[in-house]
Amino acid sequence: MENDLRQADLREAALEYHREPTPGKIAVQPTKGLNNQLDLALAYSPGVAFACHAIVDDPGSASLYTSRANLVGVITNGTAVLGLGNIGPLAAKPVMEGKGCLFKKFAGIDVFDIELAERDPDRLIDMIAAMEPTLGGINLEDIKAPECFYIEAKLKERMSIPVFHDDQHGTAIISSAAILNALKVTGKKIAEVSVVCSGAGAAAISCLNLWCDLGVRRENILVCDSKGVIYAGRDADMEPNKARYARDTECRTLGEALEGADVFLGLSAAGILEPEMLANMAKDPIVFALANPTPEIMPELARKVRPDVIIATGRSDYPNQVNNVLCFPFIFRGALDVGATGINEQMKMACVKALAAMAQEEVSDEVAMAYPGQELVFGRDYLIPKPFDPGLITIIAPAVALAAMNSGVATRPIADMEAYREKLREFVYQSGVGMRAVFSAAKRSSETRIVYCDGEDERMLRAAQTIINEGLTRPILIGRPEVIATRLKRISSKLRPGTDFEVVDPASDERYKECWTAYHQLRKRHGVTVDIAKTRLRTNNTIIGAMLLSLGYADGMICGLSGRFAHHLRQIDEIIGKEPGRTTMAAMTHVLLPGRALFLCDTHVNEDPDAEQLAEITLMAAEAVSRFAIHPKIAMLSHSNFGSSLTAGARKVARAVEIVRAKAPDLEIDGEMHGESALSQSIRERSDPQSPLTGEANLLVMPNLDAANISYNLLKMTGGDGMSVGPILLGAARPVHVLAATSTVRRVVDMSALIVVEAASE
């Protein structure tokens, strides 16, 4: 019953996500201004004719004058969608839009999702091939086997742009990197291992093909499909791609095939690998149980039967997740950047080896932050990198690009590979990777207890549903139970107070006496009498939450959906206090902008900080930015640009820079400077070619509250569609944040993920 309710809540949340504020997940965004008659004349008639003539003279110049070189078509006919089967092209569209979002977020690649109502393979091939002038690459998706093999092969013959069927090659590439490292861990030789595969669809056959290219011997492979072992002479359901793996064997069942086998590859059905089958495998069995969402055998059961097993699944809640997002965005990134005419075996193999090598390296601090509590050291539980590793694009894309150049399929070779890697590193810091890393870390720290002071607010109640569905925490809501129940009913929520989340009723909570007594003891020399303490612990939710946090009943606190920021902050300062060694608190806000992620401070607290305070704020902000798995690049902003003004305000900022450099010489920081200098290296270099700040700054420290708050609100509304994360309170002794009264449900959820990570780090 409980699971049914959770599924119903998840369904409604998913439908609302796809429906609001605009239906669907993608849109077309112009990259040029269309603000006046001249812009119109350049964009369309008559100026556009010059671009057309240039492409007639040199078709390759389309990469200079159009978006084609960064545009991939994600194409399906809906015949094999995820675990949903043959649901048709229209119902497949949400999946294809989602794939487009992954391309954009992970690799900066634009996508047209194209759903074609065509089942005939040859007609489908004609339709896709005719789109070559529009697209820089083709990602075939969710097309059933065996037609997918034929369609991809024919398109590769006819088209001179990359064509990649991710269902086949994505899983093959990731599993290949994993098998290389699993064999390295066990000391087994690739040419000697025996492999049993359950499943003979597109992904399974492609995995086996690539494994053979790595060195697995075909005669050492046994394949099983729904009719049993594929053996020499079998007539039933034997299309050519299966037939190449037919063996002269007496085995007829999966159990028989697995006796003494070294490796199990599963791309079939849940639970098909039975414990006794695993028990009969060779020493140190390698099990890739990749059926989704439920694998062929669950890892805990596999380890119970065989403690020496090395296991990978397709799930994010277990180690060794074989996830296609580890490769497809970055293969296309490298292929597009060199104008590759295809994705060949050399490029796929370069990706395999790059992934395998990455897992053997020490993980970065950003990756460790995103996966707290996990020992990310090469070995049985860490065979392949994690999806939120920011190094994926900077390692895989160059490896693929170099392979394309070396194999002769690159039409626009990259001359300076290190400059290319630096460009990709800049993308990582501008792409909003931060919140993905924060959510990933939060889901692994969900045992933390977060108290929400505005438990009766409808935004909080809607956010609670998402927080629970995301597995971030089990919320503690402060509020009157009858009011919460009424408002849950009004918003048609199926959440159950006391079951899905804890309720702290100010009128009857059993901790009331403990809380008011402790509060009185804390504030009795500041005019707080016993009666005042009792009243406040009945009526002031921020004080109630702060006392619960102070007394250890919660690990973090969020307040501020009603009332003034300064009022909440004063109460937090009085009860929670400042972090040891800090002299001030401050607020930083993360503004989510197209193509860049900016952090601004101090947006809410200090009216006119002096140089020492400004330096302290900067150091606290840099530490907070690192929690987003983002390397802080700090610009100290002013009306003065590198000494162009000698006003007191300019000198204050310059002095703050000196203090920060003395205390943290490794930080990438410069100032005082204009905003345009902060966001443009070329402009900055006109003033100081030796500036230690490289690329675009992502942490902008303002000289005073007015500048920070005005800049934040203007950027949020004009460039960020009203989207921001924060205010992020800096300098408090415990994890606590004060939201703005205008905060949305999305912001409550984002801040919940962040505070869970902060609380877990304590």
Side-chain angles (χ1 to χ4, degrees):
M1 179 64 177
E2 181 176 346
N3 187 58
D4 291 341
L5 288 172
R6 289 288 174 87
Q7 283 296 110
D9 290 338
L10 180 60
R11 177 182 182 275
E12 183 53 39
L15 292 176
E16 182 178 2
Y17 175 85
H18 282 79
R19 186 174 61 241
E20 302 291 344
T22 301
K25 298 191 287 283
I26 59 175
V28 175
Q29 179 71 39
T31 60
K32 304 293 191 298
L34 286 171
N35 302 318
N36 51 49
Q37 182 59 39
L38 176 59
D39 287 347
L40 187 60
L42 294 173
Y44 202 55
S45 182
V48 72
F50 294 102
C52 295
H53 286 307
I55 294 171
V56 170
D57 295 338
D58 176 15
S61 68
S63 64
L64 298 176
Y65 303 122
T66 76
S67 62
R68 180 174 182 262
N70 194 50
L71 183 61
V72 167
V74 173
I75 302 177
T76 190
N77 65 354
T79 52
V81 180
L82 292 174
L84 305 175
N86 182 9
I87 62 174
L90 183 60
K93 187 172 176 62
V95 180
M96 301 308 114
E97 287 187 358
K99 192 67 175 280
C101 292
L102 295 178
F103 266 109
K104 187 67 174 180
K105 287 292 185 182
F106 281 93
I109 295 171
D110 294 316
V111 163
F112 285 164
D113 67 289
I114 301 168
E115 295 77 28
L116 300 173
E118 182 54 67
R119 300 287 298 274
D120 181 84
D122 290 307
R123 291 189 63 187
L124 191 62
I125 290 165
D126 289 339
M127 295 164 75
I128 296 171
M131 289 186 277
E132 183 167 351
T134 297
L135 303 168
I138 302 289
N139 183 94
L140 299 174
E141 193 78 15
D142 294 348
I143 300 173
K144 74 181 183 71
E147 290 92 335
C148 60
F149 299 108
Y150 173 72
I151 291 166
E152 185 192 44
K154 289 298 182 182
L155 287 173
K156 284 184 173 181
E157 291 174 8
R158 291 178 57 173
M159 305 181 80
S160 58
I161 59 174
V163 177
F164 187 82
H165 185 207
D166 183 46
D167 298 320
Q168 293 182 55
H169 306 300
T171 304
I173 288 168
I174 310 305
S175 69
S176 293
I179 195 65
L180 284 178
N181 281 341
L183 293 174
K184 185 179 182 72
V185 169
T186 60
K188 296 183 179 183
K189 296 181 179 179
I190 195 166
E192 297 176 0
V193 292
S194 58
V195 176
V196 175
C197 178
S198 175
I205 296 299
S206 293
C207 286
L208 295 176
N209 290 344
L210 195 52
W211 287 19
C212 287
D213 291 341
L214 288 171
V216 174
R217 297 168 66 89
R218 193 182 303 174
E219 56 266 32
N220 292 343
I221 299 173
L222 279 174
V223 181
C224 300
D225 62 9
S226 60
K227 293 180 170 56
V229 172
I230 297 174
Y231 58 89
R234 195 185 91 169
D235 295 326
D237 195 18
M238 289 291 286
E239 51 90 14
N241 292 290
K242 289 184 184 181
R244 69 193 304 257
Y245 287 101
R247 286 268 306 280
D248 187 5
T249 176
E250 298 298 318
C251 295
R252 293 295 183 267
T253 66
L254 178 62
E256 293 172 354
L258 277 167
E259 289 188 17
D262 296 291
V263 180
F264 170 83
L265 172 63
L267 285 148
S268 52
I272 203 166
L273 178 58
E274 297 174 2
E276 56 269 24
M277 298 179 187
L278 176 57
N280 291 330
M281 292 181 67
K283 181 178 181 293
D284 291 320
I286 299 169
V287 173
F288 288 1
L290 306 183
N292 261 328
T294 306
E296 284 80 0
I297 189 169
M298 296 300 290
E300 53 268 28
L301 177 57
R303 291 194 177 96
K304 182 178 180 181
V305 176
R306 291 294 299 266
D308 60 339
V309 71
I310 293 179
I311 186 164
T313 70
R315 292 171 56 131
S316 61
D317 51 347
Y318 291 101
N320 299 325
Q321 183 193 13
V322 176
N323 188 333
N324 288 9
V325 80
L326 286 169
C327 78
F328 73 80
F330 316 118
I331 283 184
F332 270 97
R333 182 72 279 159
L336 293 172
D337 289 339
V338 296
T341 57
I343 295 175
N344 57 28
E345 296 307 309
Q346 294 94 320
M347 295 160 72
K348 291 192 288 183
M349 197 59 71
C351 184
V352 169
K353 292 180 178 178
L355 280 168
M358 277 187 70
Q360 297 177 39
E361 300 293 329
E362 182 178 354
V363 301
S364 66
D365 291 340
E366 292 92 341
V367 179
M369 189 282 293
Y371 297 90
Q374 295 189 30
E375 188 176 356
L376 303 183
V377 178
F378 176 66
R380 291 174 175 266
D381 288 334
Y382 189 64
L383 300 175
I384 44 181
K386 294 291 189 179
F388 291 107
D389 191 329
L392 286 165
I393 192 171
T394 63
I395 292 174
I396 295 175
V400 171
L402 192 60
M405 291 158 59
N406 291 339
S407 60
V409 298
T411 61
R412 297 190 304 275
I414 295 171
D416 188 340
M417 193 58 69
E418 185 50 44
Y420 175 56
R421 290 189 181 93
E422 181 58 34
K423 179 182 176 183
L424 295 173
R425 280 191 283 269
E426 285 295 318
F427 167 77
V428 170
Y429 297 130
Q430 296 171 0
S431 64
V433 67
M435 284 313 300
R436 297 200 299 272
V438 167
F439 270 87
S440 179
K443 290 179 181 180
R444 290 165 174 79
S445 311
S446 58
E447 297 303 313
T448 56
R449 302 159 300 166
I450 307 302
V451 61
Y452 297 86
C453 299
D454 301 287
E456 297 177 3
D457 192 292
E458 286 191 10
R459 289 170 294 174
M460 184 60 244
L461 295 174
R462 291 181 185 275
Q465 182 67 74
T466 303
I467 290 164
I468 293 166
N469 288 342
E470 291 279 351
L472 302 178
T473 187
R474 185 174 182 266
I476 305 169
L477 303 188
I478 300 176
R480 294 163 292 178
E482 66 277 10
V483 175
I484 291 174
T486 298
R487 291 179 180 173
L488 285 172
K489 184 177 181 180
R490 186 162 67 198
I491 64 175
S492 301
S493 174
K494 297 180 178 64
L495 286 179
R496 295 160 298 171
T499 300
D500 296 317
F501 59 88
E502 180 183 342
V503 177
V504 174
D505 181 1
S508 61
D509 192 275
E510 61 185 13
R511 294 162 291 191
Y512 169 66
K513 182 177 180 180
E514 180 185 4
C515 287
W516 75 251
T517 302
Y519 177 65
H520 174 253
Q521 188 66 28
L522 183 68
R523 302 297 299 167
K524 64 183 180 181
R525 295 294 180 175
H526 299 273
V528 176
T529 66
V530 169
D531 288 341
I532 290 174
K534 288 181 177 181
T535 300
R536 289 180 180 175
L537 265 298
R538 290 284 193 213
T539 60
N540 191 311
N541 286 9
T542 299
I543 292 177
I544 296 170
M547 289 309 303
L548 290 172
L549 178 60
S550 178
L551 293 171
Y553 291 110
D555 303 304
M557 180 183 103
I558 289 178
C559 62
L561 288 180
S562 62
R564 296 177 60 188
F565 183 96
H567 179 67
H568 294 289
L569 182 62
R570 183 175 67 252
Q571 293 167 343
I572 289 167
D573 196 14
E574 290 173 353
I575 297 170
I576 303 299
K578 298 178 183 66
E579 188 179 359
R582 302 296 187 192
T583 63
T584 188
M585 293 187 191
M588 179 179 75
T589 304
H590 181 20
V591 185
L592 307 176
L593 301 171
R596 58 170 55 92
L598 292 179
F599 297 84
L600 286 76
C601 63
D602 172 15
T603 54
H604 287 77
V605 179
N606 296 284
E607 182 178 356
D608 188 17
D610 59 28
E612 286 73 19
Q613 288 175 316
L614 205 57
E616 184 175 359
I617 290 167
T618 302
L619 292 168
M620 291 191 295
E623 182 180 336
V625 169
S626 298
R627 294 195 192 103
F628 288 81
I630 293 176
H631 171 67
K633 296 187 174 190
I634 309 166
M636 306 287 281
L637 298 188
S638 170
H639 73 282
S640 173
N641 198 48
F642 298 104
S644 65
S645 171
L646 296 178
T647 64
R651 293 197 304 272
K652 175 184 76 172
V653 177
R655 174 60 183 150
V657 174
E658 293 175 0
I659 297 171
V660 172
R661 284 177 174 164
K663 291 185 176 181
D666 293 334
L667 276 181
E668 196 170 331
I669 183 173
D670 207 356
E672 81 288 10
M673 70 176 73
H674 288 167
E676 62 178 359
S677 296
L679 299 179
S680 170
Q681 182 165 333
S682 61
I683 292 176
R684 188 164 61 250
E685 287 177 344
R686 295 175 198 168
S687 299
D688 183 4
Q690 281 78 48
S691 171
L693 184 61
T694 60
E696 291 188 6
N698 52 36
L699 172 53
L700 308 181
V701 181
M702 306 289 178
N704 56 49
L705 180 61
D706 280 345
N709 193 273
I710 292 169
S711 299
Y712 148 63
N713 279 292
L714 288 174
L715 283 172
K716 178 185 71 172
M717 298 309 297
T718 60
D721 294 326
M723 295 293 292
S724 64
V725 180
I728 300 165
L729 188 62
L730 309 173
R734 298 293 306 278
V736 56
H737 293 298
V738 183
L739 300 182
T742 57
S743 294
T744 62
V745 171
R746 184 72 251 173
R747 194 183 301 182
V748 176
V749 174
D750 287 343
M751 290 302 293
S752 297
L754 181 61
I755 202 167
V756 166
V757 173
E758 292 173 354
S761 70
E762 284 200 340

